[in-house]
Every structure is written in structure tokens, then in C-alpha cells.
Amino acid sequence: DQQVKQNSPSLSVQEGRISILNCDYTNSMFDYFLWYKKYPAEGPTFLISISSIKDKNEDGRFTVFLNKSAKHLSLHIVPSQPGDSAVYFCAAADSWGKLQFGAGTQVVVTP
Amino acid sequence: DTGVSQNPRHKITKRGQNVTFRCDPISEHNRLYWYRQTLGQGPEFLTYFQNEAQLEKSRLLSDRFSAERPKGSFSTLEIQRTEQGDSAMYLCASSTRGNTEAFFGQGTRLTVV
């Protein structure tokens, strides 16, 4: 069963504007949540994470928001840059660090 | 190089052959994970080691798949009697206990013809 879902397969955003990526999960026992960025033919690169006991974490241009009651998290990228064009995966981790991933969102940043 | 290293990067094999992949984690990381990714999907968990102990195996891991991590350092993933459905990107990741970040290698792309 798919416990982590990214319902938007693609997102197009203009350079300089905000990119908002969404993710929903079903298991309230997840310990923390992560976002990864992936280029073709490469492994995922860690971007940012958030503990299940927090509601916001910020790192430079990246901010992750967690709404536990809605079982929803989002990643905000601002301002978006051409180098941000990639596939973004939401992942949820249990206490052993085992990750369950969403299907990914392809982000295209246009000039 | 302080990253996770996977070899080979690409492997093409004929159906029915055996293949083995290697993963060298970040040296101080005691946790090692194997994932598989197919086109249009996110990575799927296969198995997990803490030091040399294999603690969990996914239902996705049929009897044809075996993984080892002797001495708690590098790990190998072997697929016996490969099938076309085994074609995928095989990813290795490592982390330390209590750390939220898992670092991935660049993966091994397997094509079974």
C-alpha cells in the first residue's frame, strides 16, 4: 500500500517565483519526513528534513511545513532557480530510518 | 571521497544470469539500506543492515535476492537467475543511528535482456 503520496506529477514555475510541492501520508507513526532531489541517472540528494514533533524547518531557500492533523507536508523553494529543475521526492522514515517514498514531482523552472 | 559509492554504475545481463552489486557506505555510518527504483516511481525499500546484521527484508525481495554486509562495512546485493522484471535502478544509502539524513549512492542501473 502506498503510504506516501505526491499527487502532482509535475510542476512548472517561473524563475524567481515560489515552488510549492505537496505530499500526503497515511501512517501517523512516521518519525520524521525528508525531501530529496534527483537528477536523471543519479541517486537522490538529501535536501531537508523535519521531525514529526515540529511544524516547520527552514534551510536557506528551502522550507518544509508539516501539518500532522492533516497528515500533509509541503516543501517551499523560494526563489526558484533553473538549477532546481529536477524530480523531488517526499519520504517518510520510521524509527530505523527506513524510508517510504512518494512517486515524485518533476519540477521545471522556466526563465 | 566521503560519499556512498556503488559499483558498477551500469550492468547489462542476459536473462537467467546472476549479478552482484557492491555498495561502500560512508565510513562512519553503521546503517545501510538497499532500495530499488523503476521508471516513474519513487525508490522502494528492499533491505536494511545495522552493522553486519540484516534487520529487515521487504516482501519485494524474492528468494532470488540476497544481500550481505560482512564485517559491517561494504555490502553486496546478488540477484540470481535474473528476470526482465528485475530491470531497475538499485540504490544504496547509509546513515548513522539518530541521524535523520540518509545519503544515497549514484545507483546501479540493471538492464536484463
Side-chain angles (χ1 to χ4, degrees):
Chain A
D1 61 334
Q2 190 74 13
Q3 297 190 45
V4 178
K5 292 183 181 178
Q6 293 176 258
N7 292 318
S8 298
S10 63
L11 172 70
S12 182
V13 64
Q14 230 174 355
E15 182 178 359
R17 307 295 287 267
I18 184 170
S19 295
I20 300 177
L21 292 83
N22 294 301
C23 178
D24 297 295
Y25 62 95
T26 57
N27 187 346
S28 58
M29 299 302 290
F30 286 128
D31 236 25
Y32 52 93
F33 303 88
L34 308 90
W35 286 93
Y36 283 85
K37 174 182 180 180
K38 189 178 184 300
Y39 295 116
E42 293 187 10
T45 301
F46 171 79
L47 280 177
I48 191 169
S49 65
I50 187 167
S51 165
S52 60
I53 62 173
K54 298 195 172 181
D55 55 19
K56 179 181 176 182
N57 188 25
E58 190 172 353
D59 185 0
R61 297 186 299 115
F62 303 94
T63 303
V64 57
F65 296 91
L66 176 62
N67 183 333
K68 285 192 71 176
S69 60
K71 295 190 177 66
H72 177 84
L73 67 155
S74 61
L75 174 68
H76 292 206
I77 307 172
V78 55
S80 299
Q81 300 173 353
D84 295 333
S85 296
V87 177
Y88 289 77
F89 289 100
C90 169
D94 64 13
S95 58
W96 294 99
K98 183 181 76 178
L99 300 174
Q100 294 204 33
F101 285 85
T105 297
Q106 173 76 60
V107 173
V108 176
V109 180
T110 58
Chain B
D1 186 6
T2 57
V4 177
S5 176
Q6 290 188 247
N7 288 289
R9 291 289 310 277
H10 303 276
K11 178 71 177 178
I12 300 174
T13 190
K14 290 184 178 179
R15 190 173 49 190
Q17 298 293 304
N18 299 343
V19 293
T20 300
F21 310 141
R22 177 177 170 127
C23 172
D24 288 272
I26 294 171
S27 58
E28 64 268 25
H29 286 186
N30 58 354
R31 292 181 169 181
L32 187 149
Y33 310 84
W34 285 98
Y35 292 85
R36 179 172 67 189
Q37 185 179 18
T38 53
L39 198 63
Q41 301 297 318
E44 295 175 296
F45 170 78
L46 293 178
T47 190
Y48 150 61
F49 291 85
Q50 178 148 304
N51 299 313
E52 67 276 8
Q54 187 175 19
L55 297 185
E56 187 173 346
K57 290 172 62 173
S58 165
R59 291 169 297 168
L60 294 174
L61 222 59
S62 76
D63 291 344
R64 298 184 296 105
F65 288 71
S66 62
E68 295 183 341
R69 193 183 182 197
K71 303 178 183 178
S73 57
F74 71 92
S75 176
T76 58
L77 177 68
E78 181 184 15
I79 309 174
Q80 297 182 327
R81 305 180 303 281
T82 52
E83 301 172 356
Q84 285 190 319
D86 297 332
S87 296
M89 172 78 86
Y90 289 83
L91 295 162
C92 175
S94 69
S95 70
T96 54
R97 183 177 177 179
N99 195 325
T100 61
E101 305 171 19
F103 294 89
F104 281 81
Q106 293 197 312
T108 295
R109 167 71 65 187
L110 173 66
T111 302
V112 182
V113 296

